[in-house]
Amino acid sequence: MKKILAFDIGGTKIAYAIIDENGNFTNEIIKVTTPKTSAGIYDLLETVIKGLEDRIDGIAIATAGAINNENNKIISHVGNLPEKYNELDFLSLSTKPILLENDANAAGWAEFKMGAAKGTKNAVILTLGTGVGSGIIVDGKLLKGKSGSAGEMHVRFGFGQERKCTCGLWDCLETYVSGNALTTDAKLYMSTDATSYDVIRGLKDNNQKAQAAFEHWQSCLENALVMVGNLFDPEVIVLSGSMAQFVEYEKLNNQVNKDILTQPLVLKLAKFENNAGMLGAALLLLEKL
Amino acid sequence: MKKILAFDIGGTKIAYAIIDENGNFTNEIIKVTTPKTSAGIYDLLETVIKGLEDRIDGIAIATAGAINNENNKIISHVGNLPEKYNELDFLSLSTKPILLENDANAAGWAEFKMGAAKGTKNAVILTLGTGVGSGIIVDGKLLKGKSGSAGEMHVRFGFGQERKCTCGLWDCLETYVSGNALTTDAKLYMSTDATSYDVIRGLKDNNQKAQAAFEHWQSCLENALVMVGNLFDPEVIVLSGSMAQFVEYEKLNNQVNKDILTQPLVLKLAKFENNAGMLGAALLLLEKL
């Protein structure tokens, strides 16, 4: 049975595990702190790969950043990783097959192949974490666009200058429906030092200000879901990431289906949590072997 | 050489022509007023088809409304055509092959195969007319979604209730970047009885209020183009429809490429005008014969 060494490279942690061709994690998932330099990251990957190389058929890497259509190169800047990380020559890490994919795309692929979007052909997986990522499945394939960077959820919601986005523009979707966005709403509706955690705690205590903050956040999410429904006509929209667990699925599902012009869709919570990126990258590589 | 009888069915006119497999219109394009009942439309189509049936290999119909993935049925309501138009049994019109496609999708396909997006694999064609339509090409295929209605450009730009959209929601893209949207801007920046025509005339006369109205309209269009660029990472965005000729392409192209996170794209004016729908529908059918 084929086995893939899968990595998930994030700004704070690097996780890795061996995944077999059925999508099972065959050993424990190891997590280490992300080295502070890109050379340090390269050395870490190399050391791990050297130690496991004789047991695996390939290496799959889920990472922040846009990945080209050949799945071997980062083609964008990657804000929360060290300088020149995007210039690393990942292919030189091993003579075994190596595949890179954007972490949100990889997580989306895992949900599509084995998770909440299994059995569909058209699905959108939104990752609501600190920011917002997406994996978009069109007719059974990942939407990559001409260069591989399709699915950037930077769509302006508004014409003013209310919320500055990490992309440099104002009022992108990300500034309204991410974890950071809920912190913005916490400050607007609760107090200037409140965060998303205070909103979540407040919901449990029936705090009205927390409820107002959450309602606003969720109504913005509804706008985003209507956009996704109208543009892509997916069978299912899957929500993943740290914020996904707080969403009122039935209520939002009904409202979205009332508002879209396309045919009914289903809103679902993701099946996989933090390991979806590794799993999806491994499954993508297995299809190519 | 194969020949297709192609129709374009709109709320005011029905156009038809015979198109050969090279995409050439082999005779004059005939235009007739759209009958006031759906039975009247059916009878008209039947009469035209009967008269030409022995000279053609199939019938292609570009029409308002969302078309299913089998290209044989309208699956949405069609506002500007008679009641029950969407229930017509188009397949019973002839024993020759019949294909239906949404008019904006068909026009997009014509631009993709023979027009401004020729030679690309990922392109978005926006039709800026009374409303806004789209034909989205992903990896060389029309984006249709699960049911065929993908590409509905109903994305809310704003959270208030500024401009009511035909879809029932507020402040959709269509209310900011269509011909009707320019009339809204004309009323805001010029006078309460001004229309989009006054803006266009005013631009020629260097009327400052007209310029302000147009600037606002074009800045909203820029938002729409950044959205399309970030979501689909296309090689080219093509603008068609009655408003497309007024756009400042070089200026907007530069601004969009400054603002997107994806790789550079090219903004272009469509090659084909009103006949793109017939041509695209014919080309789609020719691929299936």
Side-chain angles (χ1 to χ4, degrees):
Chain A
M1 185 178 290
K2 289 201 180 75
K3 285 180 180 167
I4 303 298
L5 171 59
F7 290 91
D8 192 336
I9 304 179
T12 52
K13 295 276 178 197
I14 293 179
Y16 62 93
I18 291 179
I19 299 174
D20 72 21
E21 65 182 71
N22 293 330
N24 294 317
F25 287 68
T26 65
N27 62 348
E28 210 184 336
I29 295 163
I30 315 279
K31 287 182 186 173
V32 295
T33 302
T34 304
K36 291 203 170 16
T37 65
S38 53
I41 293 175
Y42 188 91
D43 290 345
L44 171 68
L45 297 177
E46 194 174 36
T47 305
V48 173
I49 291 169
K50 286 271 176 295
L52 296 166
E53 209 161 22
D54 56 339
R55 295 168 50 193
I56 58 169
D57 299 280
I59 295 139
I61 301 173
T63 171
I67 307 298
N68 66 353
N69 281 325
E70 294 72 35
N71 292 104
N72 58 19
K73 215 174 138 180
I74 301 177
I75 57 166
S76 68
H77 289 275
V78 187
N80 59 346
L81 278 151
E83 210 181 334
K84 299 201 172 174
Y85 168 73
N86 56 347
E87 295 172 17
L88 285 179
D89 179 13
F90 291 94
L91 290 197
S92 67
L93 283 164
S94 172
T95 55
K96 298 256 166 117
I98 297 181
L99 173 140
L100 278 83
E101 189 48 272
N102 167 267
D103 45 13
N105 274 352
W109 193 252
E111 292 294 338
F112 170 65
K113 294 299 279 189
M114 299 182 64
K118 189 179 169 183
T120 69
K121 285 187 75 179
N122 294 277
V124 176
I125 296 87
L126 292 179
T127 307
L128 311 176
T130 314
V132 176
S134 82
I136 300 171
I137 313 294
V138 171
D139 207 14
K141 282 167 40 179
L142 261 176
L143 177 70
K144 294 276 288 175
K146 68 173 180 298
S147 61
S149 53
E152 290 284 357
M153 283 284 146
H154 289 270
V155 177
R156 290 194 67 190
F157 276 13
F159 295 108
Q161 299 195 337
E162 294 280 329
R163 300 186 183 193
K164 184 81 180 173
C165 184
T166 53
C167 76
L169 300 181
W170 290 87
D171 299 315
C172 280
L173 183 157
E174 181 164 308
T175 67
Y176 287 95
V177 305
S178 62
N180 282 344
L182 188 57
T183 289
T184 305
D185 287 321
K187 294 185 196 315
L188 281 172
Y189 289 86
M190 297 178 77
S191 69
T192 50
D193 58 350
T195 70
S196 56
Y197 297 97
D198 297 306
V199 176
I200 300 306
R201 266 193 299 269
L203 288 180
K204 289 174 191 149
D205 304 339
N206 292 317
N207 176 316
Q208 290 195 350
K209 287 180 177 175
Q211 286 168 342
F214 185 78
E215 279 300 315
H216 182 256
W217 181 85
Q218 194 166 250
S219 73
C220 295
L221 177 59
E222 204 259 335
N223 272 7
L225 299 176
V226 170
M227 172 187 89
V228 165
N230 278 337
L231 288 180
F232 295 101
D233 185 21
E235 286 150 86
V236 58
I237 302 177
V238 176
L239 302 183
S240 69
S242 57
M243 299 302 297
Q245 60 186 303
F246 304 116
V247 170
E248 298 169 288
Y249 284 86
E250 197 181 336
K251 177 180 164 185
L252 213 51
N253 185 82
N254 293 343
Q255 188 62 43
V256 168
N257 278 301
K258 234 180 90 208
D259 287 343
I260 55 174
L261 291 180
T262 46
Q263 302 296 304
L265 57 80
V266 181
L267 183 67
K268 281 188 180 178
L269 176 62
K271 177 177 176 183
F272 303 113
E273 296 184 358
N274 296 330
N275 306 328
M278 281 184 278
L279 176 58
L283 294 173
L284 280 167
L285 178 54
L286 281 161
E287 293 195 8
K288 296 198 178 190
L289 295 185
Chain B
M1 184 176 290
K2 290 204 180 72
K3 286 181 181 167
I4 303 298
L5 172 57
F7 291 91
D8 192 334
I9 304 178
T12 52
K13 295 276 178 196
I14 294 179
Y16 62 92
I18 292 179
I19 299 173
D20 72 22
E21 65 184 72
N22 293 330
N24 294 317
F25 287 68
T26 65
N27 62 348
E28 210 183 335
I29 296 164
I30 315 279
K31 288 182 186 172
V32 294
T33 302
T34 305
K36 290 201 168 23
T37 67
S38 53
I41 293 175
Y42 187 91
D43 290 344
L44 171 68
L45 297 177
E46 196 174 33
T47 305
V48 173
I49 291 169
K50 285 273 176 295
L52 296 167
E53 208 161 22
D54 55 340
R55 294 168 49 192
I56 58 169
D57 299 280
I59 296 139
I61 300 173
T63 171
I67 307 299
N68 67 352
N69 282 323
E70 293 71 35
N71 292 106
N72 58 19
K73 215 176 136 180
I74 301 177
I75 57 166
S76 69
H77 290 275
V78 188
N80 59 346
L81 278 151
E83 211 180 334
K84 299 201 172 175
Y85 168 72
N86 55 346
E87 295 172 19
L88 286 179
D89 179 13
F90 291 94
L91 289 197
S92 66
L93 283 165
S94 171
T95 54
K96 299 260 164 108
I98 297 181
L99 173 140
L100 278 83
E101 188 50 271
N102 167 267
D103 45 13
N105 276 352
W109 191 253
E111 294 294 337
F112 169 64
K113 295 299 279 188
M114 298 183 64
K118 188 178 171 183
T120 69
K121 285 186 75 177
N122 294 278
V124 176
I125 295 86
L126 292 179
T127 307
L128 310 176
T130 313
V132 177
S134 82
I136 300 171
I137 314 294
V138 171
D139 207 13
K141 280 167 41 177
L142 262 176
L143 177 70
K144 293 277 288 176
K146 69 173 179 300
S147 62
S149 53
E152 290 284 356
M153 284 285 145
H154 289 270
V155 178
R156 289 193 68 193
F157 276 11
F159 296 109
Q161 301 194 336
E162 295 280 330
R163 301 185 182 192
K164 185 81 179 172
C165 183
T166 54
C167 76
L169 299 181
W170 290 88
D171 298 316
C172 282
L173 182 158
E174 180 164 309
T175 67
Y176 288 95
V177 304
S178 62
N180 282 343
L182 187 58
T183 289
T184 306
D185 287 321
K187 293 183 195 319
L188 281 173
Y189 289 87
M190 297 178 77
S191 68
T192 50
D193 58 350
T195 70
S196 56
Y197 296 96
D198 298 306
V199 177
I200 300 306
R201 265 193 300 268
L203 288 180
K204 287 174 192 149
D205 304 338
N206 292 317
N207 176 315
Q208 289 195 350
K209 287 180 178 176
Q211 285 168 342
F214 186 78
E215 279 300 314
H216 182 256
W217 182 85
Q218 195 167 250
S219 73
C220 295
L221 177 59
E222 204 260 335
N223 272 6
L225 299 176
V226 169
M227 172 186 90
V228 165
N230 278 336
L231 288 179
F232 294 101
D233 185 20
E235 286 149 85
V236 59
I237 302 178
V238 176
L239 301 183
S240 68
S242 57
M243 299 301 299
Q245 60 186 301
F246 305 116
V247 169
E248 299 169 289
Y249 284 85
E250 196 181 336
K251 177 180 164 185
L252 213 51
N253 185 82
N254 292 343
Q255 188 63 40
V256 168
N257 278 302
K258 233 181 91 208
D259 287 343
I260 55 174
L261 292 179
T262 46
Q263 302 295 305
L265 57 80
V266 180
L267 183 66
K268 280 189 180 179
L269 175 63
K271 177 176 175 184
F272 303 112
E273 297 185 356
N274 295 330
N275 307 328
M278 281 184 277
L279 176 58
L283 294 173
L284 281 166
L285 178 53
L286 282 161
E287 293 196 7
K288 298 197 177 190
L289 294 186

